[in-house]
Amino acid sequence: EITSPTAHPGESAFYVGPELVDAFPDEQRLVEIGKILTAQRRRKITVTRIDPIYNSDQEVIGYMAYAKP
């Protein structure tokens, strides 16, 4: 699952489900999530960072992927 909330000017942010991010090794996540976003949005998206989102028990419940166009 990928959704796109509002981000800072010049930056896009996407919520990415944990099952998608966890499917890739750490060193490949930026590139692979960027490829998926590029395919979905039909424009080149370069992911610059991926931050985990935690619940109150400090369990990862998703990720925010930040990208530049």
Side-chain angles (χ1 to χ4, degrees), residues 16 21 29-31 33-34 47-52 63-66:
V16 183
V21 175
R29 288 180 176 176
L30 295 177
V31 171
I33 298 302
V47 175
T48 56
R49 74 180 199 273
I50 299 174
D51 295 336
Y63 295 87
M64 289 302 296
Y66 296 92

Side-chain angles (χ1 to χ4, degrees), residues 10 12 22-23 27 36 39 41 43 54 62 64 68:
S12 299
D22 294 342
E27 66 275 1
I36 292 168
R41 306 293 174 183
R43 62 182 171 90
Y54 298 97
M64 289 302 296
K68 59 182 179 179

